[in-house]
């Protein structure tokens, strides 16, 4: 059994993070055992992840490797600016004392997980690895979008606008999972998170919790897809800090890795 964990990690561990666990080895047997938005300490998360036997890939939306020479966000912004998908600055987060991702990266490395981008391309399918991802880059590539989905509060302030963006997010994801892992759709939490009425009726903290769950699901699916076909992904950055993003849709991929059309 292989496990694919997605973490939409909060900047501070006292805030809720989106957490998703998928298990399986093929699209036919991929399932979801956990989807939630909860607050967890870095050490508790690292311990829980390390207890999972066998192959484990963790995809995390937060800086994992960091030095003052980190430049990954700048390059992601350059490559994805036409999609309006620039990334938050890791330097600004560190200046504010927000180190949850960095601390989790250290904790996972201490527990035997591979994080070094130069080593990730060499790991086999029996790996225990953690990678940094950025959901907006995943969406624009896998959903073939002209620009990122504006579901974030700071990007789309009117609640009606955010709800529309969330319903598009849900619709794209239902289609993606129908191709990549239909069994994931059988999980009750996934069903609820992807139901249009969930976005239609959510506001305030409910809308933020939905955002965390959907981004956690995005990260988990990214872990699965990266493990399934590393050639369809590329690394932006280096040992100072990096993100793993999908290749352009023109890149040839195996039949079960079709890029989703709008």
């Amino acid at each position: 059994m292989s496990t694919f964990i997605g973490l939409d990690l909060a900047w501070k561990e006292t805030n809720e993070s989106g957490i998703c666990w998928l298990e399986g080895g093929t699209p036919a047997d991929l399932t979801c055992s956990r989807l939630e938005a909860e607050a967890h300490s870095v050490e508790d998360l690292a311990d829980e992840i390390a207890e999972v036997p066998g192959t484990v890939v963790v995809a995390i939306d937060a800086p994992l490797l960091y030095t003052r020479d980190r430049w990954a966000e700048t390059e992601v912004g350059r490559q994805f600016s036409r999609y309006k998908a620039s990334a938050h600055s890791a330097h600004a987060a560190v200046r504010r004392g927000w180190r949850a991702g960095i601390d989790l990266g250290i904790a996972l490395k201490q527990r035997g997980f591979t994080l070094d981008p130069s080593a990730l391309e060499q790991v086999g399918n029996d790996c225990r690895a953690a990678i940094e991802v950025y959901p907006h880059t995943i969406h624009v590539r896998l959903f073939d979008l002209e620009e990122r989905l504006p579901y974030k509060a700071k990007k789309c302030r009117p609640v009606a606008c955010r709800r529309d963006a969330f319903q598009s997010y849900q619709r794209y994801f239902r289609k993606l999972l129908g191709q990549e892992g239909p069994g994931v759709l059988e999980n009750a939490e996934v069903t609820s998170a992807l139901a249009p009425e969930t976005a239609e009726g959510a506001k305030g903290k409910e809308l933020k919790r939905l955002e965390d769950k959907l981004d956690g699901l995005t990260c988990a699916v990214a872990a699965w897809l990266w493990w399934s076909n590393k050639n369809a992904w590329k690394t932006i950055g280096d040992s100072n800090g990096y993100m793993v993003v999908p290749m352009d849709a023109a890149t040839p991929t195996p039949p079960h890795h079709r890029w989703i059309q709008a």
Side-chain angles (χ1 to χ4, degrees):
M1 177 69 71
S2 299
T3 304
F4 308 96
I5 300 172
L7 299 177
D8 177 36
L9 196 65
W11 289 106
K12 297 184 289 185
E13 63 179 30
T14 53
N15 295 342
E16 291 183 346
S17 296
I19 301 171
C20 181
W21 292 43
L22 305 179
E23 289 95 18
T26 69
D29 66 15
L30 192 68
T31 60
C32 177
S33 61
R34 178 178 179 183
L35 178 62
E36 64 184 28
E38 300 288 346
H40 292 273
S41 74
V42 163
E43 288 298 317
D44 286 348
L45 276 175
D47 284 342
E48 189 173 10
I49 291 168
E51 288 175 0
V52 179
T55 296
V56 181
V57 178
V58 193
I60 304 168
D61 177 18
L64 294 183
L65 299 184
Y66 178 81
T67 76
R68 285 183 289 182
D69 293 324
R70 180 179 169 114
W71 50 270
E73 286 83 5
T74 300
E75 182 60 18
V76 167
R78 187 188 71 80
Q79 293 191 25
F80 289 86
S81 60
R82 64 186 173 120
Y83 304 105
K84 300 181 181 179
S86 58
H88 293 291
S89 168
H91 299 302
V94 169
R95 285 195 295 270
R96 294 183 182 186
W98 298 347
R99 294 179 48 91
I102 299 166
D103 291 341
L104 180 58
I106 293 171
L108 289 175
K109 185 176 181 180
Q110 291 173 341
R111 290 160 175 79
F113 281 76
T114 300
L115 282 78
D116 184 345
S118 64
L120 288 173
E121 294 182 0
Q122 310 303 321
V123 298
N125 281 358
D126 58 348
C127 63
R128 294 175 71 81
I131 60 175
E132 180 180 340
V133 297
Y134 183 43
H136 283 312
T137 65
I138 297 166
H139 300 156
V140 299
R141 289 287 194 236
L142 268 62
F143 301 158
D144 194 23
L145 303 178
E146 293 184 0
E147 64 178 59
R148 56 112 180 96
L149 296 167
Y151 58 91
K152 299 284 186 180
K154 292 183 179 179
K155 301 293 185 181
C156 185
R157 292 188 182 277
V159 69
C161 175
R162 290 189 71 201
R163 286 170 176 161
D164 287 345
F166 272 116
Q167 288 179 325
S168 293
Y169 196 167
Q170 292 169 322
R171 183 173 65 253
Y172 281 120
F173 234 117
R174 289 194 300 270
K175 186 174 182 180
L176 173 64
L177 288 173
Q179 294 181 349
E180 291 292 348
V184 175
L185 294 168
E186 298 175 6
N187 176 276
E189 285 295 332
V190 173
T191 298
S192 175
L194 296 182
E197 56 270 23
T198 300
E200 183 62 34
K203 59 182 179 181
K205 290 183 178 180
E206 292 176 335
L207 210 55
K208 179 62 171 69
R209 187 164 288 122
L210 176 61
E211 175 186 320
D212 292 339
K213 288 182 178 181
L214 291 178
D215 283 354
L217 179 59
T218 292
C219 293
V221 170
W224 153 246
L225 293 176
W226 175 83
W227 177 83
S228 301
N229 181 22
K230 298 181 187 69
N231 290 332
W233 296 73
K234 65 180 179 180
T235 299
I236 297 177
D238 55 23
S239 59
N240 295 296
Y242 70 96
M243 297 181 199
V244 176
V245 304
M247 298 284 282
D248 186 86
T251 302
T253 55
H256 71 278
H257 287 296
R258 296 181 295 273
W259 303 97
I260 307 303
Q261 301 298 313

